Amino acid sequence: LSQTQLFKKYGIPVYYCAPSYDHPRGPLCLGLPTLEHHRYQPLDFVLLELIHRFHADGILYSDEWMSENLFKLIQQVTKDKLIQIPVILKDNLTEIEKRIVINKHIFRYDSNQNYLRSRSSREMAEFAHKIEPKHCVERNAGGITIDNEPYLRYSGELQVVLQDAKQDDRVNVVARLQDLSDLKKLAYFREGY
């Protein structure tokens, strides 16, 4: 970061290398990141960190071949500001609950260190979704919750749990992140993702 700041002070653009895992170049075939801690990290996380934490002026891909899916991922992160997060749904969810979870979510800027609050689900909740209480269990980090009917006007609102929390009869745990490491991607929601 200090090196980047120095270069930028003198108007020198800074580019970083991001690894490709499709066909990484030899002789080691391990991908070629600028920062060693990016090796074996998901490309969308690497891009998020290079763009927003390290203030890259551009990204270089030094490996010799990139798949169409990789180009789509780059487009999603750099232009569309989309991050896809795989989730595992609980059994026996209603169609309304499934529709709320499997949706495009924009998280509220007033979210706190415990929960990411979906602005998208709040807009959906205004149509008075009646979510019955079920799966009201302890909320573990990486869990996805929907407020239920006893939460009154908040019924239907989705949150992602960032830190473990106690059980609440007004909150249904409906899903969880497939991979807890995706929480670090969600940290970039204030950048518009």
Side-chain angles (χ1 to χ4, degrees):
L1 283 170
S2 63
Q3 202 63 35
T4 296
Q5 290 168 353
L6 179 65
F7 288 156
K8 286 181 179 263
K9 177 181 171 183
Y10 292 104
I12 301 168
V14 179
Y15 287 71
Y16 288 85
C17 290
S20 166
Y21 303 117
D22 290 330
H23 289 279
R25 70 182 197 170
L28 298 179
C29 300
L30 298 174
L32 185 64
T34 296
L35 303 170
E36 188 58 38
H37 80 270
H38 285 157
R39 193 178 304 279
Y40 309 120
Q41 294 294 320
L43 182 60
D44 51 355
F45 170 70
V46 172
L47 293 171
L48 288 166
E49 195 166 76
L50 290 177
I51 293 166
H52 298 290
R53 182 172 174 215
F54 292 95
H55 310 288
D57 293 306
I59 309 292
L60 301 173
Y61 296 92
S62 57
D63 293 308
E64 60 193 359
W65 188 82
M66 291 173 60
S67 69
E68 188 174 334
N69 287 338
L70 194 57
F71 278 114
K72 285 179 185 175
L73 179 67
I74 295 165
Q75 170 78 24
Q76 285 178 339
V77 174
T78 60
K79 300 282 187 233
D80 303 336
K81 291 207 158 201
L82 274 176
I83 303 169
Q84 291 187 21
I85 306 287
V87 300
I88 298 171
L89 299 174
K90 289 252 187 198
D91 292 331
N92 306 318
L93 295 183
T94 65
E95 287 305 312
I96 292 173
E97 289 170 316
K98 288 178 190 174
R99 197 169 69 236
I100 291 171
V101 174
I102 307 298
N103 197 353
K104 179 180 174 183
H105 290 277
I106 299 169
F107 293 105
R108 295 178 49 171
Y109 287 95
D110 62 350
S111 294
N112 57 46
Q113 71 271 12
N114 297 322
Y115 308 100
L116 286 182
R117 300 164 59 200
S118 172
R119 187 174 84 206
S120 313
S121 68
R122 172 165 277 199
E123 292 162 4
M124 289 173 65
E126 289 178 7
F127 297 105
H129 288 310
K130 302 283 189 227
I131 306 295
E132 293 185 22
K134 65 179 178 182
H135 304 298
C136 301
V137 296
E138 185 176 324
R139 296 168 285 167
N140 296 319
I144 298 171
T145 66
I146 297 177
D147 295 341
N148 61 41
E149 205 167 354
Y151 230 134
L152 304 175
R153 72 182 183 103
Y154 299 110
S155 179
E157 289 196 21
L158 177 138
Q159 298 182 18
V160 177
V161 180
L162 302 176
Q163 295 184 19
D164 293 349
K166 295 185 293 187
Q167 176 268 350
D168 185 330
D169 290 336
R170 301 168 302 169
V171 179
N172 296 351
V173 178
V174 295
R176 65 179 170 81
L177 301 183
Q178 183 174 311
D179 186 344
L180 273 181
S181 70
D182 282 338
L183 284 173
K184 63 188 175 192
K185 295 178 195 175
L186 290 172
Y188 289 93
F189 80 95
R190 283 195 173 92
E191 303 293 343
Y193 289 89

